[in-house]
């Protein structure tokens, strides 16, 4: 499976990268990091006339096609950008033509690569039943609040990740690992995102709203698949505080790989 | 920079966003679902209506441009496929694509960084607020 880590997983979210690789390999699959990948651009350009902001994603998608096999990503933001640009290349004639003209790839790219998030890969390619078989140290009833945020789910007609208002993929993962999934009402509400850099107080209000809902639901820990959600939930917490972990950290613990991770 | 709205703004916003704001039926669902509602001066449904009316002056001066989170809740929920977030982005681009239009000048950025801030956040903010 081709793997796109992205910039943040090489720096501030190294544990997310390492956790994904280690747990995939425990499941018998090697993540092959794409050679010479570039930053995905961090945000999907909503402007239809913005071609340059899509080019690095197209390079990545076409490199994955050339390598053979689909493309898996772990960072919610990279996954969002890659999936949406991929859809543009498949469905938007003007964007496809202009991007291909500019890049002059060996073979014109038209959205052929299958892009999946690591969670989708676990659900659709591996299967949670199989994941369950690898659990060596069940989470022992730990009450886990799966936090989805925005980028995995919306817009659902392009992301096709899960039901946008009632997702269940992380809940099923938590149950497979022996934990108790605690659904909370604001699990797909924005954490504050990049607005944290422009108006921290505004972003903190979003974070507080998310965390208060998780606290009320009785969670002991919140899980996320996004380094920016992680940052906001950790640094923007007010009265309501909860430990926040990447979903891969729980996977590693349940697979009995966590001690290896500490070394 | 002159802020007031120009005759070509309507065409530019339609072209950039690919959205036809006039199909909005003013149901208000976008505003009702917007997590940044209380931080905005022009709420999403009003924003859409002003685009449809070609009244760009207030939009170009609005705080809404900088508080929208691109969370896509409005896009998901709109029953008429209006994509308010894409309209907000298009109007923001009218401003920041002009020389000197950057909202977050790079020299302000270092003071807002800390040890834990992920790269993704910095690149995202630079791309959303600047050109
Ligand atoms: S994308 Fe912007 S306008 Fe739409 S719901 Fe989110 S914050 Fe509100
Ligand atoms: S949800 Fe859509 S149709 Fe309803 S007010 Fe907002 S933009 Fe208009």
């Amino acid at each position: 499976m081709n793997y796109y880590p992205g910039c943040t997983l090489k720096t501030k979210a190294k544990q997310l990268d390492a956790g994904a690789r280690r747990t995939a390999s425990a499941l018998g699959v090697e993540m092959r990091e794409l050679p010479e990948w570039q930053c995905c651009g961090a945000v999907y350009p909503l402007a239809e006339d913005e071609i340059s902001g899509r080019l690095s994603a197209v390079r990545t998608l076409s490199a994955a096609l050339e390598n053979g096999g689909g493309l898996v990503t772990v960072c919610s933001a990279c996954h969002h950008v890659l999936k949406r640009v991929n859809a543009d290349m498949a469905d938007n004639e003007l964007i496809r033509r202009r991007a291909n003209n500019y890049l002059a790839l060996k073979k014109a790219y038209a959205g052929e690569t299958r892009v999946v998030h690591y969670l989708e890969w676990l659900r659709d390619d591996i299967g949670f039943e199989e994941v369950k078989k690898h659990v060596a140290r069940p989470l022992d009833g730990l009450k886990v609040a799966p936090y989805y945020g925005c980028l995995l789910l919306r817009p659902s007609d392009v992301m096709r990740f899960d039901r946008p208002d009632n997702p269940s993929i992380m809940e099923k993962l938590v149950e497979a690992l022996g934990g108790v999934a605690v659904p909370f009402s604001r699990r797909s509400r924005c954490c504050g995102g990049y607005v944290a850099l422009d108006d921290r107080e505004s972003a903190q209000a979003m974070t507080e709203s998310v965390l208060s809902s998780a606290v009320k639901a009785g969670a002991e820990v919140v899980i996320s698949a996004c380094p920016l959600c992680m940052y906001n939930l950790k640094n923007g917490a007010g009265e309501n505080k909860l430990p926040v972990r990447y979903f891969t950290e729980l996977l590693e613990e349940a697979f009995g790989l966590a001690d290896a991770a500490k070394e | 920079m002159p802020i007031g709205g120009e005759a070509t703004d309507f065409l530019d916003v339609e072209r950039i966003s690919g959205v036809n704001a006039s199909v909005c039926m003013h149901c208000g669902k976008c505003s009702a679902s917007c997590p940044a509602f209380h931080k905005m001066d022009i709420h999403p449904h009003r924003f859409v209506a002003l685009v449809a009316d070609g009244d760009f002056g207030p939009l170009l001066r609005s705080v809404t441009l900088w508080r929208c989170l691109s969370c896509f809740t409005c896009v998901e929920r709109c029953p008429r496929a209006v994509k308010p977030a894409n309209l907000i982005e298009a109007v923001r681009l009218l401003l920041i694509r002009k020389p000197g239009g950057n909202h977050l000048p790079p020299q302000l950025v270092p003071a807002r960084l800390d040890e834990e801030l992920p790269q993704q956040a910095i690149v995202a903010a630079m791309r959303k607020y600047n050109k």
Side-chain angles (χ1 to χ4, degrees):
Chain A
M1 186 55 117
N2 293 303
Y3 171 55
Y4 177 88
C7 309
T8 305
L9 272 70
K10 289 288 180 183
T11 47
K12 303 291 178 192
K14 281 188 180 143
Q15 68 274 47
L16 185 53
D17 174 58
R21 289 173 197 261
R22 268 196 291 265
T23 50
S25 109
L27 290 162
V29 179
E30 283 318 311
M31 295 287 183
R32 283 179 294 148
E33 182 171 335
L34 277 180
E36 295 178 27
W37 55 266
Q38 306 171 336
C39 172
C40 69
V43 284
Y44 168 74
L46 294 173
E48 298 223 328
D49 64 349
E50 206 160 304
I51 302 301
S52 61
R54 288 173 164 86
L55 295 178
S56 71
V58 178
R59 281 193 196 97
T60 298
L61 294 161
S62 114
L65 180 66
E66 223 170 275
N67 260 8
L71 181 65
V72 68
T73 59
V74 194
C75 168
S76 296
C78 299
H79 165 254
H80 185 91
V81 174
L82 292 169
K83 225 182 214 175
R84 291 187 79 175
V85 171
N86 206 35
D88 288 337
M89 294 302 282
D91 305 332
N92 188 320
E93 215 273 320
L94 189 60
I95 291 177
R96 176 170 63 235
R97 192 152 39 86
R98 293 180 67 195
N100 275 310
N101 279 347
Y102 189 90
L103 289 173
L105 303 162
K106 261 184 261 163
K107 186 176 169 297
Y109 184 75
E112 294 92 341
T113 297
R114 175 173 173 248
V115 181
V116 289
H117 188 270
Y118 191 85
L119 285 162
E120 286 176 299
W121 176 76
L122 286 178
R123 177 190 62 194
D124 303 335
D125 294 18
I126 300 294
F128 289 134
E129 276 309 308
E130 181 63 24
V131 170
K132 211 170 177 171
K133 288 184 200 151
H134 290 79
V135 173
R137 293 185 197 169
L139 296 181
D140 206 14
L142 183 71
K143 292 194 189 120
V144 184
Y147 176 61
Y148 290 86
C150 315
L151 298 179
L152 290 172
L153 298 168
R154 296 183 292 268
S156 60
D157 57 342
V158 183
M159 299 312 291
R160 295 177 188 280
F161 177 83
D162 206 339
R163 288 166 63 180
D165 284 311
N166 191 19
S168 61
I169 188 167
M170 283 202 262
E171 280 78 359
K172 285 180 186 145
L173 175 64
V174 168
E175 306 282 349
L177 302 181
V180 174
V182 184
F184 61 112
S185 59
R186 301 199 181 128
R187 66 202 158 128
S188 56
R189 208 178 155 96
C190 185
C191 69
Y194 55 80
V195 169
L197 263 112
D198 191 45
D199 180 24
R200 193 160 281 260
E201 186 266 323
S202 220
Q204 280 169 343
M206 313 289 155
T207 304
E208 177 57 23
S209 144
V210 169
L211 284 173
S212 68
S213 156
V215 165
K216 233 177 261 160
E220 294 173 280
V221 57
V222 178
I223 53 167
S224 163
C226 177
L228 181 48
C229 295
M230 178 65 107
Y231 174 83
N232 279 332
L233 293 175
K234 276 190 166 169
N235 296 279
E239 269 171 51
N240 290 287
K241 286 192 177 62
L242 274 177
V244 191
R245 325 257 327 258
Y246 288 120
F247 73 97
T248 47
E249 295 180 74
L250 294 195
L251 254 182
E252 284 184 286
E253 270 170 34
F255 282 9
L257 303 167
D259 299 337
K262 283 198 192 92
E263 278 162 22
Chain B
M1 192 196 341
I3 292 183
E6 291 164 27
T8 51
D9 286 350
F10 184 78
L11 291 175
D12 283 340
V13 165
E14 199 163 75
R15 180 179 50 83
I16 295 171
S17 67
V19 168
N20 175 6
S22 65
V23 302
C24 166
M25 62 181 188
H26 313 292
C27 67
K29 217 171 197 183
C30 48
S31 292
S33 346
C34 176
F37 181 90
H38 295 293
K39 305 287 174 191
M40 292 175 169
D41 47 358
I42 300 179
H43 299 124
H45 72 290
R46 273 299 292 157
F47 199 100
V48 172
L50 289 168
V51 171
D53 290 346
D55 194 358
F56 285 91
L59 297 182
L60 289 163
R61 287 185 293 270
S62 69
V63 178
T64 300
L65 297 177
W66 320 114
R67 290 297 161 268
C68 169
L69 302 148
S70 299
C71 75
F72 309 121
T73 312
C74 53
V75 177
E76 188 66 42
R77 303 244 166 104
C78 172
R80 301 299 290 265
V82 171
K83 302 186 185 162
N86 298 40
L87 290 172
I88 295 171
E89 176 118 335
V91 175
R92 187 169 52 232
L93 286 170
L94 289 183
L95 277 182
I96 65 178
R97 279 181 179 175
K98 289 191 177 130
N102 284 351
H103 176 70
L104 184 63
Q107 55 274 23
L108 285 185
V109 174
R112 300 186 188 188
L113 304 183
D114 61 58
E115 247 325 286
E116 285 179 46
L117 193 76
Q119 281 65 20
Q120 164 206 358
I122 307 164
V123 180
M126 294 301 282
R127 289 216 158 172
K128 282 286 173 183
Y129 296 134
N130 296 348
K131 272 292 155 236

